[in-house]
Amino acid sequence: TGGLALADLPPLPAKDKYKVGFAQTESNNPWRIAQTKSMQDEAGKLGYQLVYTDAAGSAAKQVADVNSMIAQGVDLIFLAPREEKPLIPAVMAAKKAGIPVILLDRNVDQALAKAGEDYVTFIGSDFVDEGKRIAEWLVKNNGGKTKIIQLEGTTGSSPANDRKKGFDEAINAAGGFTLLASQSGDFARDKGRQVAEALLQAHPDADVIYAHNDEMAMGAIAALEAAGKKPGTDVIVLSIDGGKEAVQAVVDGKINAVVECNPRFGPKAFETMAKYAKGEKIDAWVKNDDKFYDPSNAAAELANAY
Ligand code: AHR
């Protein structure tokens, strides 16, 4: 019949120049801006046309963005799915239209879609390990501070789910810590500040804040300062992302430790696409390596942070 069998991934024909979609989730932070720039720079270097969309923080808009890329006949779609479940229909629609999808930085629900069957691969960090690494730093360096407020990322997103899992498991395994509260700040600075403010009022004895990204950590620093507390000294502040502002905050003593989440996807994304076009086998997960910043290396690493 010539149609795609259910478990078949659409092939990517060999071409000199491709028209490629990149469906971004939002652009409200330096991490997203660095990721977009890396994708645009690499597409530019290769002379490919990049159809870029910004879902502005709406999973529904991101689904519509992918549908519009399908209608425009792009050769392949890079998708950074805002949340694990709502983007499944977009992945399936592209597959049905014969357009391969590569997931960037965030994953979709693994019970509902599979790498190698529904999409080519997931390129990104190990978010569970990021949460675990920051918890392990706390276990070693807490200086008697054990009462934790956790600022979670976007509800239903793979980094929020996994950074919580890795952190909570390591803290529980170590024993002696109390998670006073854990609430979403949607990966956003002002939301993070507001949530930190409310949680600090409800739990004035908190002496550790773990934020799932730099934006919320910077919001938490503002909330701590407004409450007359010294971030990094009275309250340990931990973050994930490792952008310049956060690494500078480590140098300044306001953040105690940050796990990097590397946003420079461009080279790896297009290299993976080229391999796929050649018919090479692609792993289900193309993993990014993340650095770690604390007072021992933050000043030396500052210039390398995005
Ligand atoms: O998916 C990666 C996360 O999304 C980053 O930690 C965050 O800053 C971004 O919005």
Side-chain angles (χ1 to χ4, degrees):
T1 58
L4 284 171
L6 216 58
D8 282 352
L9 276 177
L12 181 63
K15 284 189 188 176
D16 282 345
K17 303 285 172 206
Y18 289 99
K19 180 175 167 186
V20 173
F22 174 39
Q24 179 59 288
T25 161
E26 56 216 342
S27 296
N28 62 346
N29 73 45
W31 193 97
R32 290 283 147 203
I33 290 164
Q35 186 191 36
T36 297
K37 184 173 182 311
S38 175
M39 291 296 288
Q40 285 170 338
D41 286 354
E42 198 60 23
K45 268 188 217 159
L46 295 164
Y48 293 0
Q49 186 188 342
L50 192 70
V51 178
Y52 170 76
T53 55
D54 174 1
S58 157
K61 173 162 184 328
Q62 200 173 25
V63 173
D65 289 344
V66 170
N67 285 331
S68 132
M69 287 174 184
I70 295 170
Q72 291 175 61
V74 297
D75 295 303
L76 176 140
I77 296 171
F78 290 111
L79 168 64
R82 179 172 159 81
E83 291 148 57
E84 286 190 330
K85 284 192 173 70
L87 269 299
I88 296 285
V91 171
M92 296 309 182
K95 178 184 177 182
K96 200 169 161 216
I99 300 173
V101 170
I102 293 181
L103 298 182
L104 284 192
D105 100 71
R106 291 189 187 176
N107 216 331
V108 291
D109 191 318
Q110 291 302 288
L112 301 174
K114 293 253 175 311
E117 278 178 37
D118 303 310
Y119 58 92
V120 176
T121 182
F122 164 62
I123 305 178
S125 295
D126 185 337
F127 296 134
V128 175
D129 194 54
E130 289 175 346
K132 183 173 172 231
R133 287 171 77 192
I134 205 78
E136 284 171 352
W137 186 95
L138 180 66
V139 170
K140 281 201 198 103
N141 302 284
N142 67 82
K145 298 193 194 303
T146 57
K147 294 187 277 306
I148 306 166
I149 285 174
Q150 180 166 197
L151 300 177
E152 299 173 21
T154 297
T155 305
S157 71
S158 63
N161 291 342
D162 293 353
R163 287 172 184 170
K164 178 165 175 56
K165 183 174 188 281
F167 182 84
D168 289 359
E169 280 174 4
I171 288 299
N172 289 337
F177 290 89
T178 310
L179 186 58
L180 297 173
S182 190
Q183 203 176 305
S184 175
D186 204 15
F187 281 131
R189 185 176 299 221
D190 202 51
K191 186 82 193 292
R193 182 189 59 75
Q194 289 169 33
V195 173
E197 217 167 79
L199 293 180
L200 283 166
Q201 266 167 29
H203 305 281
D205 55 334
D207 51 17
V208 178
I209 295 187
Y210 161 46
H212 285 187
N213 79 344
D214 287 352
E215 287 299 292
M216 296 189 296
M218 296 315 295
I221 288 173
L224 284 166
E225 287 174 339
K229 298 190 189 209
K230 260 186 111 179
T233 309
D234 298 332
V235 176
I236 290 176
V237 179
L238 305 170
S239 182
I240 297 178
D241 272 1
K244 245 189 193 43
E245 194 181 9
V247 179
Q248 180 65 57
V250 177
V251 174
D252 297 341
K254 294 188 177 192
I255 291 182
N256 302 76
V258 191
V259 182
E260 184 199 34
C261 180
N262 188 347
R264 294 169 176 136
F265 281 76
K268 206 179 254 181
F270 286 94
E271 196 180 292
T272 305
M273 174 180 163
K275 281 188 185 161
Y276 185 65
K278 281 192 210 137
E280 287 179 30
K281 193 189 166 323
I282 313 286
D283 290 338
W285 183 359
V286 179
K287 230 182 243 194
N288 283 349
D289 292 327
D290 299 319
K291 297 183 192 175
F292 193 97
Y293 306 111
D294 72 1
S296 70
N297 67 348
E301 288 282 354
L302 188 57
N304 303 323
Y306 67 86

